[in-house]
């Protein structure tokens, strides 16, 4: 006689990877509010010095809410992720020559604002380990005078562990 056991109900998820939810290269934690809704927060290392050689790398953070389109029993679940956080950084270095005087100024700012991503999670085996992926757009609220950046692409790629 085969005994039927209850399916494991995972209520939390730890993920690490790259993207808006991870603050660049970082980690995020997620807790379920219900079968179809979860809250998440994350933070990580954003290597802005790889984009602008004189800039300093930054720590970034984000938080949000995911709405799933199927219940937890599915190994593959798709979601809409609405979040708010830091999107990246900008750097400006200005050199002004005035007669015999040279004035150098440096300015570095974090971009921040809301993001909307569509994505999915695929869990393997017993449903503990999986992959997370999402793509969408972010809207920059930061005031930047030297560039008119408002909408930028948003991406999340990572590995997840449910517990």
């Amino acid at each position: 006689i085969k005994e039927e056991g209850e399916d494991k109900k995972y209520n939390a998820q730890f993920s690490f990877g790259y993207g808006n939810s991870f603050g660049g290269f970082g980690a995020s934690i997620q807790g379920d509010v219900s079968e179809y809704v979860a809250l998440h927060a994350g933070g990580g290392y954003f290597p802005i010095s790889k984009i602008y050689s004189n800039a300093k790398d930054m720590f970034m953070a984000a938080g949000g809410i995911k709405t799933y389109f199927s219940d937890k029993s599915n190994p593959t679940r798709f979601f809409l992720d609405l979040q708010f956080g830091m999107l990246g950084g900008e750097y400006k270095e200005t050199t002004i020559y005035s007669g015999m005087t040279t004035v150098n100024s440096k300015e570095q700012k974090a971009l921040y604002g809301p993001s909307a991503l569509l994505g999915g999670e695929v869990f393997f085996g017993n449903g503990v380990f999986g992959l997370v992926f999402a793509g969408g757009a972010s809207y920059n609220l930061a005031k930047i005078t030297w560039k008119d950046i408002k909408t930028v692409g948003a991406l999340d790629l990572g590995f997840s562990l449910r517990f």
Side-chain angles (χ1 to χ4, degrees):
I1 298 174
K2 183 179 177 184
E3 290 185 25
E4 295 288 327
E6 281 189 40
D7 289 337
K8 288 186 178 179
K9 294 289 183 193
Y10 303 104
N11 296 315
Q13 185 171 310
F14 177 76
S15 303
F16 59 95
Y18 177 79
N20 283 34
S21 298
F22 305 109
F25 291 100
S28 71
I29 186 95
Q30 173 177 310
D32 292 344
V33 175
S34 72
E35 187 79 14
Y36 295 93
V37 178
L39 298 175
H40 66 89
Y45 167 81
F46 185 74
I48 192 170
S49 65
K50 302 299 183 217
I51 302 168
Y52 305 100
S53 61
N54 291 329
K56 294 181 181 175
D57 294 338
M58 299 193 292
F59 176 81
M60 302 212 154
I65 185 168
K66 287 182 182 175
T67 303
Y68 289 91
F69 303 122
S70 61
D71 63 30
K72 293 182 194 179
S73 64
N74 292 322
T76 302
R77 295 175 72 191
F78 295 97
F79 59 81
L80 171 63
D81 185 4
L82 301 175
Q83 57 182 267
F84 189 91
M86 298 169 88
L87 319 170
E90 285 295 326
Y91 177 80
K92 178 186 177 188
E93 188 170 348
T94 307
T95 303
I96 300 171
Y97 301 101
S98 174
M100 298 178 70
T101 307
T102 302
V103 177
N104 290 322
S105 64
K106 297 178 182 179
E107 185 179 2
Q108 183 169 336
K109 290 186 178 182
L111 307 182
Y112 59 89
S115 301
L117 295 91
L118 284 173
E121 300 169 346
V122 179
F123 284 89
F124 305 101
N126 59 4
V128 175
F129 298 100
L131 301 173
V132 62
F133 54 91
S138 297
Y139 185 77
N140 175 36
L141 296 173
K143 301 259 189 282
I144 297 178
T145 57
W146 64 92
K147 279 192 177 180
D148 187 24
I149 299 173
K150 290 298 176 194
T151 304
V152 295
L155 175 71
D156 279 345
L157 296 172
F159 297 96
S160 291
L161 171 67
R162 292 197 293 195
F163 51 96

